[in-house]
Each structure stands twice: as structure tokens, then as C-alpha cells.
Amino acid sequence: MAAPVKIGDILKARGLINDKKLDIALIQSKITGDLLGDVLVKLGFLSAKERGQILAEQSGIGFVDLDEFVISEDALRLVPKDVAEKNQFIPLDLEDGKVSIGITEPGNIKAIDTVTRITKKQAKIYIVDRDAYYDAMEKALQKLAKAEKYLRKALEALGGEEERPHGHDHNQGGCWLAGL
């Protein structure tokens, strides 16, 4: 089995950093205990998106650009928001009986186990950049809030009782729409 390629070697090969910047970041990483990729972003040597793409390449996992990806409402409804936040993942899509999730760290086994346990579906993982992850979590909340509002109006127009989609109680803390 080949040794894993170091993130610094990938970045240098791509021309994203030079030896001097890498040395600075390595020293800073040793001092702070932070991961090299995080230090490179903090120092401004690398964007969060570039960090995510490099981590995906290094780990052999696909990368999803959340700025260009449309998150499935059905996927969001499968996992309570507080569970997704606690385990550092975002549901992305349902495809071929699998739940696609975005994670910011390739070694986030807890997210994979949690999704599999809750949904009873196999998880397909993608790397997402950390900055876009937090933005996407907020956008997902807004997206579901709009869908909920539309559903309420449609039910009122039909004269039906107000029902909650998929049996979620939106007044409890775990739902994507809690507090709205």
C-alpha cells in the first residue's frame, strides 16, 4: 500500500503554495496544533474551497461545491438539523437508495455512522469546504422554511388541517425549522 500523499506536496505540485509558505505554515501548525490545511487557510495562503478540493484529492473522495449544488429537501428531512450540526455534516441528496452527505474532514466516520443509523441507508460522502458548509446549513434552513410556508398556504387554501411534513414536530429543537 502506497504512503498517503502529503497535503503540502499536492499544493506545491499544483503551484498553490511555495516552499517558504509551506515552511511558515508547518511551523505555525506545530506551535498551534492545528491541521496544516486549517493553518494555510488562516494565514491566507489557501482558500477554504481550495483546502476542501485538496483534501478530497488527497483522500480519494469526491468534492462538492456547495455554492453550485442544489441541496435536496428530501435529504434534509431525513436527518434532524441538530444531529447534522453535532456530527459536522450536511445532507445533500438521495441517489440510488443512498444518502449523499457533505463533510469537511475526510476522517469524519461519526457522520457516516450517524447517517446510516438514522436513515437506514448507506451514506455516500463528499468533501465540502468549511466556509460553504456553514453557509449551506443556513440556506438549507431558509429553503425548508419557504417550503413549509408554501405548504401551509396550500393546505389553508384547500381548507385542510395544518399537517407537518414527514411527521416532524417543528417545535422541537432537532428539526431544521425549529424556532420559526
Side-chain angles (χ1 to χ4, degrees):
M1 187 167 146
V5 180
K6 294 180 180 180
I7 191 170
D9 293 338
I10 296 172
L11 293 168
K12 286 186 342 184
R14 283 200 173 178
L16 294 171
I17 61 169
N18 58 31
D19 285 328
K20 184 176 181 178
K21 287 181 179 180
L22 180 58
D23 290 341
I24 291 168
L26 285 168
I27 291 167
Q28 183 71 18
S29 177
K30 286 180 184 177
I31 292 169
T32 63
D34 292 340
L35 297 172
L36 179 60
D38 294 338
V39 170
L40 288 163
V41 172
K42 287 177 187 175
L43 292 173
F45 297 161
L46 198 63
S47 72
K49 183 175 179 177
E50 289 169 328
R51 175 196 174 276
Q53 291 169 329
I54 295 300
L55 286 176
E57 180 180 331
Q58 182 187 37
S59 61
I61 300 171
F63 177 80
V64 169
D65 185 346
L66 290 174
D67 293 330
E68 298 177 11
F69 188 84
V70 178
I71 295 173
S72 160
E73 289 178 28
D74 291 335
L76 289 172
R77 288 190 177 102
L78 285 176
V79 181
K81 178 182 176 237
D82 61 337
V83 172
E85 286 178 328
K86 179 181 175 187
N87 293 286
Q88 295 281 303
F89 71 88
I90 185 165
L92 298 173
D93 201 4
L94 292 171
E95 54 185 82
D96 301 325
K98 297 178 184 178
V99 181
S100 297
I101 62 170
I103 57 177
T104 60
E105 296 296 331
N108 188 350
I109 302 300
K110 190 174 180 183
I112 299 163
D113 290 345
T114 300
V115 168
T116 302
R117 182 176 39 82
I118 290 174
T119 67
K120 308 289 188 241
K121 297 179 185 300
Q122 186 178 0
K124 183 173 182 177
I125 61 170
Y126 294 93
I127 300 294
V128 297
D129 81 70
R130 190 170 283 140
D131 289 351
Y133 166 79
Y134 291 110
D135 291 344
M137 291 291 275
E138 184 62 32
K139 287 177 186 174
L141 175 63
Q142 293 171 359
K143 181 178 183 176
L144 283 181
K146 286 179 184 177
E148 170 94 352
K149 186 176 180 180
Y150 176 79
L151 180 61
R152 284 182 186 168
K153 284 183 180 182
L155 287 171
E156 287 173 12
L158 293 172
E161 292 182 23
E162 185 178 321
E163 296 179 16
R164 301 291 184 181
H166 300 286
H168 286 298
D169 181 351
H170 296 297
N171 293 321
Q172 293 183 352
C175 181
W176 289 86
L177 298 175
L180 294 179

